[in-house]
Amino acid sequence: MAQGSVQLTHTGTSRWRRRTGEYATLSAALQAAADGDVLTVSPGTYRENVVVDKTVTLRGPERSGGGSARIAPADGVALTVCAPAALQDLQIEGQDTAVPAVLVEEAAPELTGLRIVTRSAAGVEVRESARPTVRRCTVDNPAGLGFSVSGGAGGLYEECEVVAAGQSGFAAREGARPRLENCRLHHASGAGLALHGEGTSAEAVGCEVYEIKGSGVRVGSRGAGLLTDCRVHRTSADGVTLDTDAVLTLADCDIHDIPENAVDLRSRSVLTLTRSTVRHFGRNGISVWDPGTRADANGCEIHESTGDYPAVWVSDGATVILDTCRVHTVPDALFVLDRGSRADVLDSDLSQVRGTAVSVSDGAVVQLDDCRISKAATGAWFRDHGSGGTLSGCTMDSTATGVIVTKGADPTVERCTVGSATEAGFYVSAGGRGTFQHCRVTGSQGYGFHIIDGCRSTLRRCRTERCARGGYEFAEPGPVTEDCTSDESTAAAPLSAPVPPPLDGGGTGADGGGGSGLLTATAQVPRQHSPG
């Protein structure tokens, strides 16, 4: 395309300023212009490095068959804006991978409808406290960053799109504070949205991040972000990654079709997840690691894992809170590992779990209040020494086993109900302990409470009903009971004493006579769901 021309319209109030001139280059037109003037750029190619340092309007042709106005120098920054100017409908082409195609610094210009097609360090770089308003701009930069905002800069980015980036689609660092509204970031590498460094804080509303070679959103090194009504999907790595004191809030967001962890937090990062959905993930839905790292989910849904990993993973001293959440259609729902790790789950539903709904091991603890667990192989499994916590007011329905306690674990289970277990309601073995208070088992196809290996569990005011093999089975002495009852015909009175050793052949009532005792002691062990 041949060189075009620039029409300069002077808008001053004096008569000699109210006139129009035509220039062959943008640089000449800008030199002649004054604040308030309008420069209309005709279709053509302008092979010059343009610097806009006046408060002017620089307007390209509207989209039509006449072609575009292309600013396309051989090297260097194609367009520099350092004044509160207004630029519209221009195409910017850079060829220098050492500098950005568009540079905005120390000003608050308005950029509207720009198309940046370039191979530069960044499509648009904003720095040095600049606060641009960028609307409906497109960046295609397979060589570098899409947008780069740094050095305390910010600005509003509205309905912008990164169609390709060799690095992150939108990167904010060094104290930058941008706001993105209804933007689309896709076909980038490293991250779709990257926030890095102390003082860096970004807001994104109604944005979509997808087709990323890397993480969809990455926040690190004390960076912070707030994403509202955003979608992150189709990444090659994690959906959202937080590291090194990062802070992120996701509200009303949808994270889906992720081959790795949907959300991964490490190194004292903090995530708040509100009314959001996590689905179709290959590893963990939420993965939380390291002391001081914390994820707080409220009103969220985590479902439809495509891999063989727990939906929520907590380890190495991290903390997770699930409040009014739903976790379903997953291999395992919640795994909490390692001393110092903790999960607090309130008023939540864990269902359609192929393995274990809640697993606690290696000294971790959980607190479950008023939760509902259904259609799981195991409701809750406290696996080993030091592992424990409290289940309070929970219901477990249609599980193989409601609660398993093994290898020195010692939870407190109170006011919980297990219904329709295909094996035992509660199963304790291998040195497990546990205190069970005001618990109830109904409709078990095995025993209500099955305690073996002489485990010193404590049962207070528990009740069993319609358990096919019996309400209580203690294979060896050890458990202590108080005011426990059953609907078995032999259980006319509650038992309030430790169980004695089994007599010859077993099957004898705990009082030695078989008529008034509640609990039986035999050597028979029913088939039990295998741990693992």
Side-chain angles (χ1 to χ4, degrees), residues 425-439:
F426 295 87
Y427 178 69
V428 185
S429 70
R433 296 177 66 89
T435 299
F436 305 90
Q437 302 181 118
H438 297 278
C439 292

Side-chain angles (χ1 to χ4, degrees), residues 4-5 13 44 71 114 117 132 143 172 181 191 211 220 244 257 280 324 327 367 385 392 400 431 458 488 494 502 520:
S5 62
T13 56
I71 300 174
L114 303 189
V117 182
E181 295 184 2
E211 295 292 356
T244 315
D257 294 297
H280 298 160
T324 325
V327 182
Q367 173 82 40
H385 182 74
S392 179
T458 300
E488 294 176 85
T520 63

